[in-house]
Amino acid sequence: MDETAKRDSAGGLAHATLFVYGPGGVRAVRLPSRGTLIAGRSAPADLVIDDASVSREHARFAVGDGRTAVEDLGSTNGTFVRGQRVDRAVLSDGVEIRLGDVVVLFRDPASAALQDHDLDPYDELSDRLDEELARCRVLRHLTSVVAVDTERRGLLAVSTLLRSVLRPIDRVGVFGAGLLLVVLPETGPGGAPALRKLLTDEGLRFGMTTVDAGTGDSGAAAAIERAVTALRGDVPPEATTTGPVFRSAQMLGIVAELRRVAQSQISVLLRGETGTGKDVLATLVHEASHRSGPLCAINCAAIAPSLLEATLFGYERGAFTGADRAMPGLFEQADGGSLFLDEIGELSAAAQAALLRVLESRRVQRLGSTKPVAIDVRIIAATHVDLVKAAAAKSFREDLFYRLEGFGITIPPLRERRDDLEPLVATFIREGNQRHQRTVTGITPLARDVLHAYAFPGNIRELRNAIERAIVVARNSVIDVSDLPERMRAPLLSTSTAPESSQELGNLRERVRTFERQAIHAALRACGGSRKDAAEALGLPLRSLFYKLKELGET
């Protein structure tokens, strides 16, 4: 073992460090305090591991905001954390990683210090939250997540304050260098008053969200992101309808109509394919209405029919087995505000009848109660189902359809509003840079052509995921064709000039390389061999063009 490894393993570790176990002994490699380190079998990898099971560029270690993550770079033999193959995982002190057959131990003194203060690393807190949400699905309880800004007071000092008011079942964990997360089981929107008072009295900024585990957007990652967003006061870019995200004439017209309708009390029905942004437009309608109450939401397709009435209308203590306390439903929680019923077309016949009664009477009655409660709720519904055809087929109540469609509008799929594509890409690049601590500045013209040629069956949600993936795997400051998912590259590749030999055909990765080589050669010929001018023609920084040429073996 070398001297650095001896010193670090003896307890003098000052930085996050990788201990690489190989035939020649243990090698200690310090990670940067912020940035990335690529491990692979040969250059240009930063950490070269000479082993046949390791790919040329096998994995990336990314350090930022007090966390270290490992990301697989499409390696042949995989990246494993705790014995499970992963695409990406956040690391905690002492975790074992395997790159192919090579074992790497991750040690982080900051993470170890946090464990001494009973603070969960992010991945463990996320796992605990997912377990809590699974329990909530069975017991029909709510869970809240709080994000706390600790920069002014320090992470450990704030955690000590929090412990003075938290229950034994509550968990505290680390999101980043200046943020703590608190998971509050069995806590609704108005819960944890002692914690709220403490945070307010101490002048600590915080954001809180409550998760209904019966909805489709109830995963740990989504809940944590909402809490952090609430803390920072960020507005989701999709909801900024006056900004560059909505550029197409279709969407600008739809937004204008929804803003006018929002001032009335009429119900709104949003129709369109999955992933077109109906939830974003529902938020727009609520915010433009200036209603004083909150916007509550439920995915009607994601909650069991037997639980739907209890979720919507609430229940009294003893109404059924497990109802150990009274619980207001979403209609009562949304009083004075709006209720977004997503995937309304998936409601059962019984739920449709119950919903119709509430819409007609404007009163809700909890399960187990004989006393109706008056409500003032604006209904916004969304569906990808053709409700006119469903009503004709008797699978959806016609009278309920007319109640819901006070104002109905169809949201076009992304493939029919291509003018929105590039502003959406710019928005998702900005989001991805913040989330993954990257500095991607844009997208090459070739990659832009690939996106414009793709049909996007998953619409905006699919585009967001594709851009986030590209940001994670991109080797340069701009997203290139090879950074996009294979399903998106395939149409453009199939129209490119066919390779001259079967060896050139190869797999899809080799076809991408062939396409890039042809495009670069064409640009160089057109620019008289000037690499600077060719880089500008291709929309690449000059250093990226040099990197591409080196990667293609043509320097």
Side-chain angles (χ1 to χ4, degrees), residues 151-444:
E151 287 190 7
R152 291 177 54 198
R153 303 285 292 274
L155 208 65
L156 301 181
V158 172
S159 73
T160 301
L161 280 173
L162 296 178
R163 293 292 178 195
S164 66
V165 295
L166 293 180
R167 305 165 297 176
I169 62 171
D170 299 329
R171 299 302 307 178
V172 184
V174 181
F175 181 76
L179 288 181
L180 283 176
L181 293 170
V182 185
V183 175
L184 304 170
E186 302 182 18
T187 303
L195 175 62
R196 292 171 180 269
K197 184 178 186 302
L198 172 71
L199 294 172
T200 302
D201 291 348
E202 295 291 337
L204 295 169
R205 293 177 57 246
F206 68 97
M208 182 173 181
T209 186
T210 299
V211 185
D212 175 358
T215 67
D217 188 24
S218 59
I224 290 169
E225 183 172 351
R226 286 198 299 273
V228 173
T229 297
L231 162 66
R232 293 171 175 165
D234 297 338
V235 177
E238 304 96 319
T240 311
T241 55
T242 56
V245 176
F246 298 129
R247 182 185 293 171
S248 66
Q250 301 102 305
M251 288 307 299
L252 291 175
I254 287 171
V255 168
E257 287 191 69
L258 289 176
R259 286 188 178 279
R260 286 195 297 272
V261 170
Q263 304 301 319
S264 69
Q265 301 303 312
I266 196 170
S267 297
V268 174
L269 178 63
L270 304 171
R271 302 180 296 262
E273 296 178 8
T274 298
T276 51
K278 298 187 290 295
D279 55 339
V280 171
L281 293 174
T283 301
L284 180 147
V285 171
H286 172 71
E287 292 178 346
S289 72
H290 303 299
R291 294 178 66 84
S292 59
L295 171 65
C296 296
I298 182 172
N299 185 325
C300 299
I303 189 167
S306 60
L307 303 179
L308 188 61
E309 289 192 43
T311 303
L312 287 174
F313 312 135
Y315 54 86
E316 295 293 341
R317 181 180 179 184
F320 49 81
T321 302
D324 56 354
R325 58 178 176 170
M327 178 66 70
L330 288 179
F331 270 101
E332 287 185 70
Q333 294 177 37
D335 190 36
S338 306
L339 179 58
F340 177 45
L341 302 172
D342 199 7
E343 299 298 353
I344 190 75
E346 306 299 327
L347 283 179
S348 66
Q352 291 178 38
L355 177 60
L356 180 62
R357 287 196 300 271
V358 173
L359 296 183
E360 289 180 338
S361 67
R362 292 290 167 178
R363 291 176 177 273
V364 65
Q365 188 168 313
R366 296 184 187 181
L367 299 183
S369 173
T370 59
K371 181 181 179 181
V373 178
I375 54 167
D376 172 24
V377 176
R378 167 69 161 291
I379 299 297
I380 308 169
T383 182
H384 72 280
V385 175
D386 188 332
L387 294 185
V388 174
K389 290 182 178 178
K394 306 300 183 184
S395 61
F396 196 86
R397 294 183 63 118
E398 188 174 16
D399 46 3
L400 177 58
F401 168 68
Y402 289 125
R403 276 282 182 184
L404 294 170
E405 197 184 41
F407 176 81
I409 196 164
T410 300
I411 314 304
L414 184 56
R415 61 183 174 275
E416 294 179 8
R417 46 183 172 109
R418 296 292 181 174
D419 289 346
D420 289 334
L421 187 62
E422 292 185 30
L424 283 168
V425 168
T427 297
F428 298 153
I429 288 176
R430 184 171 63 251
E431 286 181 341
N433 280 338
Q434 293 173 350
R435 186 174 294 113
H436 300 290
Q437 295 85 49
R438 302 299 306 277
T439 55
V440 173
T441 59
I443 188 168
T444 67

Side-chain angles (χ1 to χ4, degrees), residues 46-92:
D46 306 300
L47 168 57
V48 176
I49 303 174
D50 187 13
D51 188 282
S53 67
V54 177
S55 296
R56 189 169 65 88
E57 291 191 8
H58 195 106
R60 176 190 290 114
F61 292 86
V63 185
D65 287 340
R67 293 183 293 165
T68 301
V70 62
E71 304 157 358
D72 188 80
L73 298 178
S75 65
T76 301
N77 295 314
T79 299
F80 296 79
V81 175
R82 298 189 183 92
Q84 299 294 318
R85 186 163 184 166
V86 299
D87 292 325
R88 182 179 187 276
V90 178
L91 304 177
S92 57

